[in-house]
Each structure stands twice: as C-alpha cells, then as structure tokens.
C-alpha cells in the first residue's frame, strides 16, 4: 500500500506516463507516510472518452491514490495537493486543448485488504 492509478487521455501528446509514475512514486515516498517498496503504480491510457457535451479538444489526467483507512483528513489533503502539483508540472503545454488534472484519495478498508509478499530466491 499505497496503490496509484493514473488514467490519461491519449490526446496528450508528449505526456510520458512512465516518467510521471516515477516522479509521483518519489513524491509519495518523500511524504514520509509509506515504505518505498510498498508503493505500486500503474498508468492506463484512455482511447475512448467524452468530456462534457462539446466536441471541442479536451483531455484529462486522473490520479487515484488508494491508501489504508484511518489516515487523518489533513494527511489525505496534503497527499492530494502534493500529487496535483507534481502531476501539473509534468504535463506538456497543449495550445488549443482544454486539459483537466484531478487527484483523488480513496481509502481501503484495513479489515478486508490482504497482501502476500513473495521474496526472490
């Protein structure tokens, strides 16, 4: 824990999802709330999407960070703000394209989360 999922529309040319994941993992680790080896992230490019009702040029990036429950609201807010700033700095300019960047922090119930670590031999 935590799990970071980054969804982004493919029309964001020049956006390097692999680089974004690495930067965001470093920021998450730098927050001091998580062990480095426990941060798992993935990026999902979106081909089919609609934003609003207009056919205008639009795109988005949505980061969802799933963390164990019972973290104080101030910690969750700080993580959200930090990730939004980090992500905003990684998106190349796209003149004529309306881009929305969002971060969502969700909680996973500790009582129902299971994990097993298999060490390399």
């Amino acid at each position: 824990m935590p799990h970071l999922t980054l969804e982004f529309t493919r029309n964001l040319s020049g956006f390097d999802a692999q680089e974004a994941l690495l930067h965001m993992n470093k920021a998450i680790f730098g927050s001091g709330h998580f062990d480095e080896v426990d941060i798992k992230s993935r990026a999902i490019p979106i081909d089919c999407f609609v934003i609003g009702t207009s056919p205008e040029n639009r795109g988005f990036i949505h980061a969802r960070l799933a963390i164990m429950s019972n973290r104080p609201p101030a910690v969750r807010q700080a993580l959200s703000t930090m990730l939004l700033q980090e992500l905003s700095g990684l998106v190349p300019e796209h003149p004529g394209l309306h881009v929305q960047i969002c971060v969502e922090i969700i909680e996973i119930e500790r009582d129902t989360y299971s994990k097993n670590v298999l060490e390399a031999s």
Side-chain angles (χ1 to χ4, degrees):
M1 195 51 50
H3 288 271
L4 174 67
T5 303
L6 189 64
E7 297 174 326
F8 64 98
T9 57
R10 281 204 197 256
N11 62 343
L12 300 176
S13 60
F15 177 66
D16 186 338
Q18 186 74 34
E19 178 186 9
L21 291 177
L22 183 58
H23 279 269
M24 294 175 77
N25 277 13
K26 287 179 180 179
I28 292 167
F29 177 62
S31 74
H33 296 286
F34 309 99
D35 292 334
E36 179 272 337
V37 71
D38 289 334
I39 303 167
K40 293 164 282 294
S41 62
R42 75 277 288 153
I44 303 169
I46 307 294
D47 289 315
C48 182
F49 63 93
V50 175
I51 300 172
T53 59
S54 174
E56 294 180 27
N57 289 332
R58 296 177 177 172
F60 70 83
I61 300 175
H62 182 164
R64 180 178 299 114
L65 182 65
I67 61 175
M68 287 294 186
S69 58
N70 300 324
R71 298 222 184 235
V75 169
R76 296 192 312 267
Q77 179 60 51
L79 288 167
S80 178
T81 300
M82 173 196 63
L83 290 175
L84 183 61
Q85 290 174 346
E86 188 71 34
L87 197 50
S88 295
L90 297 170
V91 180
E93 288 190 30
H94 293 89
L97 185 66
H98 173 90
V99 180
Q100 297 181 34
I101 304 170
C102 312
V103 175
E104 174 184 18
I105 307 296
I106 61 172
E107 293 183 299
I108 295 176
E109 289 297 322
R110 291 177 185 273
D111 294 339
T112 59
Y113 183 78
S114 299
K115 176 179 174 178
N116 187 15
V117 177
L118 306 175
E119 295 292 335
S121 348

